[in-house]
Amino acid sequence: MKRHNWLKKHTLGLAAALLMTAGMSQIALAGDSVYVNTSSLRYRTSAQIKDNNIAGNLSYGQKLERVGTSGQWTMILLNGKKYYVSSAYVTSKKPASAGAVQTTSQTAAGAQTSGGTAIALSSNYKYANYSKINSGTATLYRSTASNKKNKVVCVNAGHGTNGGGSVKTQCHPDGSAKVTGGTTGAGATSAVAVSSGMTFADGTAESKVTLAMAKVLKTKLLNAGYDVLMIRESDDVQLDNIARTVIANNNADCHIALHWDSTSSNKGAFFMSVPSNATYRAMEPVASHWKQHNQLGESLISGLKSAGVKIYSKGSMEMDLTQTSYSTIPSVDIELGDKASDHSGATLETLANGLLAGVNIFFGQ
Ligand SMILES: [Zn+2]
């Protein structure tokens, strides 16, 4: 804490002083400031993800002096020294409030359930009023592992909302039309609040498998030191996709929705990436967060690959999802296979190992 305050106070003066020294002026972008747009951002001594170049952490909303950028990496001056941060986590616009990534200790005011805290959709949360089904609660679990990560991972078992298919919610907060197909076609401005999901070739409902997957993943994350926000722990939670997303936005550091796809070719795992559509990527909150979403998806695919999971094509498919359209934290829908894929306990175990590895990659652990 002390260190951060000290850095905040002294960064600008030192940066200005250093910019005047020879060599720095050519990369200087005079007066250019950016802000940290994630709850905790690592800064590094070189533009690479490595264990031995981490210099420290920056906090949400912290103003930084940007002196250069190479696309993926942004060079900053801190304490008179050059450091590098991932460009995906800085924004030139000052983040509106700390609310988007506030830590759970500030918001988890719900009732205690067995081992966890129930979290309801607060009407104060941004975008909460777009939700139509929100009488249910998610549950926050704190890790008791010795190596606490101080990160909350939202685990969202896809589907599992009784009646969710007969209610419609707005696809985008600004009312614009969907830019890709999917469960709801392109051009639609409203979509089912929560679809019922597909049925596996062996007759098992997707929602049963996503729930089983979520439970296995929850245990692994807690054991690894992550806190876990479980959207659903039974066959039915009365939370639509918008409510799930908004609860995650306000209580977690990333959001992972678990799904299996509706094809029948056992094609492998992939994530739904943010469509490369200029209008969609310019719409808030997508504009400020789409890079984080894709980075989380790519991390999860890397983790799954390392666990030996079959990956479909390049590991992603562009999709305009309600989840993505309302997410203000890194957020993905990951499709762990399809109707023809094995979903035995052993396979779910492997998938969970891969997802945990991906979460570790994403948070640089
Ligand atoms: Zn699904």
Side-chain angles (χ1 to χ4, degrees), residues 15 36 58 63 65 77 81 114 154 164 263 271 281 286 351:
V36 177
L58 303 163
K63 190 176 182 180
E65 196 66 12
L77 277 184
K81 288 190 182 142
S114 54
C154 173
T263 56
F271 76 98
R281 287 186 174 183
V286 178
L351 290 167

Side-chain angles (χ1 to χ4, degrees), residues 159 206 259-260:
H159 314 287
E206 182 192 353
H259 288 267
W260 271 258

Side-chain angles (χ1 to χ4, degrees), residues 294-340:
N294 284 351
Q295 192 155 351
L296 175 60
E298 280 155 22
S299 299
L300 295 180
I301 292 298
S302 296
L304 289 167
K305 215 182 271 180
S306 73
V309 174
K310 180 179 173 182
I311 306 299
Y312 167 65
S313 183
K314 293 204 164 70
S316 67
M317 185 186 290
E318 295 193 357
M319 198 62 69
D320 175 348
L321 297 170
T322 300
Q323 177 185 337
T324 316
S325 304
Y326 288 87
S327 284
T328 60
I329 57 170
S331 174
V332 291
D333 169 319
I334 187 136
E335 306 280 327
L336 293 163
D338 68 13
K339 285 182 179 179

Side-chain angles (χ1 to χ4, degrees), residues 44-120:
R44 299 172 184 273
T45 53
S46 57
Q48 278 173 289
I49 293 179
K50 289 195 300 192
D51 285 343
N52 62 2
N53 69 349
I54 298 166
N57 290 291
L58 303 163
S59 46
Y60 179 78
Q62 193 168 337
K63 190 176 182 180
L64 306 170
E65 196 66 12
R66 175 167 62 182
V67 293
T69 181
S70 67
Q72 190 189 350
W73 294 98
T74 292
M75 194 192 298
I76 59 167
L77 277 184
L78 261 190
N79 194 16
K81 288 190 182 142
K82 270 189 295 180
Y83 293 103
Y84 299 83
V85 296
S86 170
S87 300
Y89 304 102
V90 295
T91 166
S92 50
K93 243 194 312 180
K94 187 174 184 176
S97 79
V101 288
Q102 62 195 308
T103 57
T104 51
S105 56
Q106 295 167 285
T107 56
Q112 289 291 321
T113 66
S114 54
T117 304
I119 309 230

Side-chain angles (χ1 to χ4, degrees), residues 87-334:
S87 300
Y89 304 102
V90 295
T91 166
S92 50
K93 243 194 312 180
K94 187 174 184 176
S97 79
V101 288
Q102 62 195 308
T103 57
T104 51
S105 56
Q106 295 167 285
T107 56
Q112 289 291 321
T113 66
S114 54
T117 304
I119 309 230
L121 182 72
S122 162
S123 57
N124 294 324
Y125 291 161
K126 191 168 190 186
Y127 307 125
N129 57 333
Y130 291 87
S131 162
K132 300 266 183 70
I133 303 173
N134 46 51
S135 61
T137 53
T139 311
L140 175 69
Y141 294 91
R142 296 283 188 192
S143 173
T144 54
S146 53
N147 55 335
K148 287 265 294 167
K149 300 281 204 282
N150 295 315
K151 296 282 183 196
V152 181
V153 177
C154 173
V155 176
N156 178 359
H159 314 287
T161 299
N162 291 343
S166 53
V167 176
K168 287 204 160 192
T169 51
Q170 201 168 302
C171 296
H172 298 165
D174 69 357
S176 58
K178 273 191 72 178
V179 299
T180 71
T183 307
T184 302
T189 56
S190 66
V192 287
V194 183
S195 66
S196 56
M198 62 76 170
T199 304
F200 279 85
D202 67 0
T204 310
E206 182 192 353
S207 59
K208 293 269 186 203
V209 179
T210 59
L211 179 59
M213 181 75 246
K215 289 177 176 175
V216 177
L217 181 57
K218 169 193 172 191
T219 304
K220 289 209 186 276
L221 287 166
L222 287 170
N223 287 344
Y226 293 99
D227 298 328
V228 178
L229 177 67
M230 290 288 280
I231 291 293
R232 172 166 85 87
E233 293 186 279
S234 64
D235 288 339
D236 173 38
V237 69
Q238 289 295 298
L239 293 173
D240 60 23
N241 287 332
I242 294 178
R244 296 175 186 215
T245 299
V246 172
I247 288 174
N249 286 347
N250 288 278
N251 295 280
D253 295 296
C254 73
H255 176 183
I256 303 169
L258 306 168
H259 288 267
W260 271 258
D261 201 17
S262 56
T263 56
S264 304
S265 55
N266 187 25
K267 66 179 185 244
F270 62 99
F271 76 98
M272 300 292 204
S273 62
V274 179
S276 48
N277 172 297
T279 311
Y280 186 66
R281 287 186 174 183
M283 176 190 80
E284 291 293 356
V286 178
S288 294
H289 300 279
W290 68 267
K291 288 179 188 167
Q292 299 175 359
H293 305 329
N294 284 351
Q295 192 155 351
L296 175 60
E298 280 155 22
S299 299
L300 295 180
I301 292 298
S302 296
L304 289 167
K305 215 182 271 180
S306 73
V309 174
K310 180 179 173 182
I311 306 299
Y312 167 65
S313 183
K314 293 204 164 70
S316 67
M317 185 186 290
E318 295 193 357
M319 198 62 69
D320 175 348
L321 297 170
T322 300
Q323 177 185 337
T324 316
S325 304
Y326 288 87
S327 284
T328 60
I329 57 170
S331 174
V332 291
D333 169 319
I334 187 136

